[in-house]
Amino acid sequence: MELRTGVSKQDIREQIWDYMESRNLADFPWPVHHRIPNFKGASRAAEHLPRLQAFTMARTIKVNPDAPQTNARFFVLDSKKTLLVPTPRLRMGLFNKITPPPGATKDVLRKCATSQGVRNYSTPVGLDSRVLVDLVVVGSVAVSEKGWRIGKGEGYADLEYAMMVSMGAVGPETPVVTIVHDCQVIDIPEALLEDHDLTVDYILTPTRVIATGCERPKPTGILWSKISWEVMGKIPVLQSLRHREKQAGKDVTLRDEPRRLLGASSQQPAHLSAVRGPRDPPLPEPCPAQGEDGPTGTVCVGNLPRDARVSELKRALRELGAVPQRLTWQGPRGRALLHYQAPASAQQAVSRLQGLRLGAATLTVALARRQRASDLPGGRVQEPQPDCRPAVADL
């Protein structure tokens, strides 16, 4: 398709969205505006993926959660490869590993590849997982044959990639694939590209496989100067990464954070002392970790805000599918204990609740520690007991 004059990234997005809807190329969900657009022929375009050598060689593949990539996620699962899917808007961490049930048929795998399946069969992948991603599949609103890409405008794909770089999960040679309709492959002015923009190595359409040969460098990490305090507040895992990079001595000054004056010191007059920006979001205090005496069926949720209510936590547990048999509320101590029937259920709850927030606070979630046998009369091992008699609230 030909672009109108006065092109900006947003102009290109609007023209692509309008064109797809006016030509009846778009598919559910509608409207496609402000989305990675789903399109008729998306499943056929994804059929090229298993034929790529990069796919054949890959063990772990990250695929974005949008509708046009549903068939791509199925092919990863059907090929017995590890599938990682970013959490929506990165609210609950960076990405989840999709684990189908044992003996899953192709029909079950197709369900696992849907958005509902991603929610039902996923476990979070933590920052310390040392995961290595061999292939990245992203969505696009527009892409050029040179490998230059435009997303929907929120920057999540670019940020996800930069965060994976910071984790050591991807490197400069990790191939990136996008799956789009033929009409989404257009000329994009190079002047529109920025340092944080992710480029692609392969473009799959219903009719073509395009090897871009793109030589433009991909992002080498998180550009903190592009990130605002508002974004930091919405993405807990980004806060953790920033803390790590700050501890490593990197410049993590945010876009709207004043830099410290050069040469400032504590001995200087007040009017020359360091300019202070907003405080870093506080790191949550950890719950007690699982001890050495084996798994436990109790989950400790910590760092509860002083004004938090048990009803708020119960609502969040229901929404995330992590309802316990009973809940022990210890609001004055800033925590709650969730009691599950089996250790496996508790472990699943820990996975689903990672990154949970109440108000402005990011809660800590971990399996509660069993008390050591030597600490208890008669040498018995039991679930941890609070120091004071708790109030028990049934869900």
Side-chain angles (χ1 to χ4, degrees):
M1 59 173 286
E2 295 292 332
L3 294 176
R4 298 188 296 269
T5 57
V7 169
S8 67
K9 284 185 178 180
Q10 190 59 28
D11 288 334
I12 292 174
R13 293 184 189 105
E14 296 291 344
Q15 290 180 55
I16 292 288
W17 289 327
D18 290 345
Y19 184 89
M20 294 183 75
E21 290 205 334
S22 66
R23 298 298 196 281
N24 196 29
L25 301 174
D27 209 342
F28 179 84
W30 295 286
V32 295
H33 289 72
H34 310 294
R35 300 180 188 271
I36 298 295
N38 196 12
F39 57 91
K40 295 175 180 178
S43 295
R44 189 165 68 255
E47 289 174 359
H48 297 300
L49 183 63
R51 302 168 192 157
L52 294 179
Q53 185 178 10
F55 180 93
T56 303
M57 301 294 293
R59 291 184 178 182
T60 300
I61 302 177
K62 173 251 168 187
V63 185
N64 80 320
D66 296 311
Q69 278 68 54
T70 300
N71 214 28
R73 295 191 292 272
F74 164 74
F75 286 129
V76 175
L77 295 174
D78 191 45
S79 300
K80 304 295 191 294
K81 299 178 186 292
T82 298
L83 172 61
L84 302 179
V85 179
T87 59
R89 298 179 180 271
L90 303 176
R91 286 188 295 260
M92 303 294 289
L94 181 49
F95 39 57
N96 290 339
K97 176 182 177 181
I98 311 306
T99 306
T105 63
K106 287 186 181 294
D107 286 342
V108 172
L109 292 180
R110 291 191 184 280
K111 291 179 181 177
C112 291
T114 65
S115 57
Q116 183 64 44
V118 167
R119 287 192 292 270
N120 292 343
Y121 297 99
S122 64
T123 54
V125 175
L127 295 180
D128 298 317
S129 63
R130 301 188 182 278
V131 64
L132 293 177
V133 176
D134 304 306
L135 180 65
V136 175
V137 181
V138 298
S140 302
V141 173
V143 64
S144 77
E145 293 191 14
K146 294 180 179 180
W148 302 339
R149 171 189 172 277
I150 294 177
K152 62 185 175 184
E154 296 181 340
Y156 284 105
D158 301 322
L159 185 55
E160 288 160 8
Y161 183 87
M163 291 167 72
M164 287 192 289
V165 172
S166 296
M167 288 176 61
V170 297
E173 304 305 317
T174 306
V176 177
V177 177
T178 192
I179 301 174
V180 296
H181 191 275
D182 289 278
C183 75
Q184 294 174 261
V185 182
I186 61 171
D187 289 330
I188 297 175
E190 187 173 7
L192 297 181
L193 300 186
E194 300 178 70
D195 290 343
H196 65 271
D197 286 332
L198 178 62
T199 57
V200 303
D201 302 290
Y202 296 95
I203 304 169
L204 310 184
T205 79
T207 65
R208 293 194 290 170
V209 175
I210 304 170
T212 67
C214 185
E215 297 181 356
R216 184 181 179 90
K218 294 181 174 63
T220 57
I222 300 171
L223 297 178
W224 297 105
S225 60
K226 299 282 187 180
I227 296 174
S228 67
W229 281 100
E230 180 182 4
V231 170
M232 285 286 294
K234 294 177 179 178
I235 306 177
V237 68
L238 196 58
Q239 299 171 17
S240 299
L241 279 171
R242 182 172 185 254
H243 177 73
R244 290 185 178 202
E245 296 203 356
K246 186 175 183 179
Q247 293 295 103
K250 296 184 179 180
D251 183 0
V252 295
T253 305
L254 303 182
R255 185 178 69 199
D256 46 2
E257 176 184 14
R259 292 180 177 271
R260 295 180 180 277
L261 294 176
L262 294 176
S265 70
S266 58
Q267 283 74 38
Q268 289 178 310
H271 68 283
L272 294 179
S273 60
V275 176
R276 296 185 180 272
R279 287 192 173 191
D280 288 358
L283 291 175
E285 298 178 7
C287 272
Q290 181 179 337
E292 300 174 354
D293 294 319
T296 173
T298 299
V299 174
C300 178
V301 177
N303 200 34
L304 290 169
R306 284 180 170 270
D307 58 351
R309 299 187 177 186
V310 65
S311 58
E312 295 175 311
L313 179 59
K314 288 160 63 176
R315 186 184 310 114
L317 295 176
R318 282 194 291 268
E319 290 175 353
L320 295 170
V323 178
Q325 283 191 313
R326 70 182 194 279
L327 183 154
T328 303
W329 181 256
Q330 296 179 327
R333 297 178 62 184
R335 73 177 192 179
L337 301 178
L338 314 180
H339 307 280
Y340 294 88
Q341 185 173 9
S345 300
Q347 181 63 66
Q348 185 179 50
V350 170
S351 298
R352 292 186 176 184
L353 298 177
Q354 291 299 318
L356 175 62
R357 295 170 66 87
L358 286 185
T362 301
L363 308 188
T364 60
V365 183
L367 289 176
R369 182 175 57 237
R370 287 181 182 269
Q371 293 181 355
R372 296 178 182 273
S374 58
D375 295 337
L376 297 167
R380 292 179 294 106
V381 177
Q382 64 180 33
E383 297 288 356
Q385 297 298 319
D387 294 337
C388 57
R389 182 178 297 274
V392 177
D394 294 326
L395 292 184

